[in-house]
Amino acid sequence: MPVPIPLVIDTDPGIDDALAILLALASPEVDLRLVTTVHGNVELAQTTENALRVLHLAGRSDVPVAAGAAASLVHPQPERAGHVHGAAGLGGVELAPSPAAVDPRPAVVALAELLLTSPEPVTVAAVGPLTNLALLLRVFPDAAARIGRLVVMGGSATRGGNVTAAAEFNVWADPEAAQAVLGSPLPTVLVGLDVTLATVLDEGGIARFAAAGPIGAQAAAILQQYLDHARSAYGTAGVVVHDALAVTEAIRPGFLGTVRRDVVVDTGFGAGRGQTLVDRRTVSGAATAVDVAEQVDGAVAADFLVSRLSGLDRR
Ligand code: BDR
Ligand code: CA
C-alpha cells in the first residue's frame, strides 16, 4: 500500500461537507491531517462546531479543527444556505458534542505550518467559499506554493448556477476570493456543477450505509432533510453530494476527466456576479490554467461513496 496522501479539508459543514469529511476518514489512500473551517452554508461558529462533531462521530476527534474566515474577503455574502442544510447546517440532526477543543491557531496559520513542515506534498480539498485559501495566498505565499494539489468544489462551466442563474454557491459566496485562487498558479482541479449534478446519491444507496451501523445511520439521518428538499424542489429521488465528489477526486487523482482551461470569475455587480467564465474554446497552456472537471461516471462515484461510508462502521 503506498504512503497515504496528507489531506486538508477546508469546509463549511453543511450536509455534503459532512459526507465529504466522512468519506476522507473512510479512505486509506489519504491521511486527513487537518480540517479548516470557513463561513458559508451557515455562520463560522456553527461550521466549526459541526466539523468537530462529524469527526467525533467517526471516532476521529484527534484530527485538528482550525477556524478560519468568518466573512468574505471584500463584500458580505448576501445570505446563507440554512434553507438547504438546516439552520444548524446538519439537516436538523444534533450530533454528540466532541470532547476536542478547536485548535487555537487561525486556520491559515495551521494550514501554513502543515504545508511548511510536511515532507510529503499535501492535497487540499476546498469545499466551501474560498476565503481561507485566498488569505493563505496573501499571508503565507511560500506555504501556499507547497500545496501539492488543490481540489476545489465550485463553479460551473456549462450548467449555469445553483444560487443565481449564473453562480454556484461557493464562488457566489466570495467571488473575490475565488478569483484570487483560480487566477493563481496553484495546481488546481475545479469540480463544478458540470460533474457534481451528474452524481446522484439515491435512496437505495443511502439505505445501504444506513444499515451498516451507527455511523452510517447518522450519516443517513443528516441526509434526510436534503433528500426531502431535493424531492420537493426538483422532484428527484436522490441528492447531489457536491463536496463528496471533490473529495473523491482528492482521494483518487484522475477519477474525473479534466481539461486545462483558463477560468475567470465575474466579480462585477451585475447578474453574472460569481459566475466562473471557463474558456472552453481551447486547452490552455497558461501557468494559471485550471484543470476543469468535465467528465464523470456519476453511478461509479455514487457507488464509491456508498461503499466507503458503509465501511466506516467496520473499521
Ligand atoms: C456547494 O454549496 C454548498 O451549499 C455545498 O456544501 C457545496 O459545497 C454546492 O454548490
Ligand atoms: Ca460545502
Side-chain angles (χ1 to χ4, degrees):
M1 185 82 188
V3 177
I5 304 165
L7 176 68
V8 177
I9 300 184
D10 184 63
T11 177
D12 61 334
I15 292 171
D16 56 332
D17 302 77
L19 288 204
I21 293 169
L22 292 174
L23 171 61
L25 294 175
S27 297
E29 299 91 339
V30 292
D31 176 14
L32 183 60
R33 300 281 297 278
L34 172 68
V35 172
T36 52
T37 56
V38 65
H39 71 98
N41 286 318
V42 289
E43 302 290 332
L44 178 71
Q46 190 69 59
T47 63
T48 305
E49 180 62 28
N50 290 347
L52 286 165
R53 290 184 184 217
V54 169
L55 290 166
H56 178 51
L57 168 68
R60 291 299 310 276
S61 46
D62 58 298
V63 177
V65 174
S72 309
L73 276 190
V74 185
H75 300 284
Q77 181 182 326
E79 59 180 304
R80 306 239 175 252
H83 60 292
V84 178
H85 296 266
L90 293 182
V93 172
E94 175 124 11
L95 297 178
S98 171
V102 182
D103 192 293
R105 298 168 296 173
V108 287
V109 174
L111 186 48
E113 285 182 7
L114 178 62
L115 289 165
L116 291 170
T117 56
S118 174
E120 310 286 340
V122 175
T123 294
V124 177
V127 296
L130 287 161
T131 322
N132 288 341
L133 270 298
L135 288 169
L136 182 81
L137 277 164
R138 293 289 194 277
V139 182
F140 298 111
D142 293 350
R146 290 177 61 97
I147 292 177
R149 282 180 90 221
L150 172 63
V151 183
V152 171
M153 192 283 126
S156 170
T158 60
R159 297 296 302 265
N162 61 355
V163 182
T164 69
E168 179 281 329
F169 180 85
N170 289 338
V171 177
W172 170 86
D174 195 345
E176 285 76 15
Q179 174 55 36
V181 173
L182 298 178
S184 79
L186 292 180
T188 303
V189 182
L190 188 63
V191 179
L193 299 180
D194 312 277
V195 286
T196 64
L197 292 178
T199 306
V200 178
L201 176 57
D202 65 17
E203 292 179 77
I206 296 170
R208 267 170 62 200
F209 60 77
I215 304 173
Q218 287 280 41
I222 291 169
L223 276 166
Q224 191 57 51
Q225 180 173 322
Y226 208 35
L227 196 57
D228 295 342
H229 172 77
R231 204 183 286 119
S232 64
Y234 311 112
T236 54
V239 287
V240 173
V241 281
H242 310 272
D243 296 345
L245 185 65
V247 167
T248 300
E249 173 62 29
I251 293 167
R252 295 216 161 155
F255 184 87
L256 302 172
T258 62
V259 182
R260 283 184 78 74
R261 306 286 195 194
D262 292 320
V263 180
V264 173
V265 177
D266 186 337
T267 53
F269 293 94
R273 181 167 172 77
Q275 181 176 13
T276 44
L277 295 155
V278 177
D279 189 347
R280 299 177 70 241
R281 296 172 300 173
T282 50
V283 176
S284 175
T288 54
V290 170
D291 291 317
V292 177
E294 297 188 358
Q295 288 176 329
V296 62
D297 186 329
V300 171
D303 193 60
F304 177 75
L305 176 62
V306 169
S307 307
R308 289 291 166 100
L309 293 183
S310 303
L312 275 172
D313 282 290
R314 290 196 293 269
R315 290 170 309 158

